[in-house]
Amino acid sequence: GHRLSNINAPALVIAGAHDEGGAAPSVGRQIASDIPGGRFAEVDAAHLASVESPEEIARLLLDHFA
């Protein structure tokens, strides 16, 4: 995580609640916490969150970039 601390742009890390692989929510939470001001969001999906929960992903992204 030491390189993540060098990021100085707004960051939103999104993970699927049912993803059990390398992009599991626990991994996303850690990544977000390693980025200064990083935000984490968990959606009702597995690994393909943008396909499984497109409306929720769109809402999160619109809020993030607003």
Side-chain angles (χ1 to χ4, degrees):
H2 70 281
R3 294 182 70 194
L4 293 173
S5 65
N6 292 329
I7 295 173
N8 64 2
L12 172 63
V13 179
I14 302 171
H18 312 290
D19 192 335
E20 298 175 2
S26 60
V27 175
R29 277 189 202 90
Q30 183 61 55
I31 291 170
S33 72
D34 288 345
I35 299 170
R39 292 179 37 227
F40 174 77
E42 188 172 310
V43 297
D44 185 22
H47 190 67
L48 298 174
S50 61
V51 174
E52 298 169 47
S53 297
E55 295 86 7
E56 196 171 1
I57 296 293
R59 180 185 53 78
L60 287 166
L61 291 174
L62 288 171
D63 288 348
H64 179 71
F65 291 115

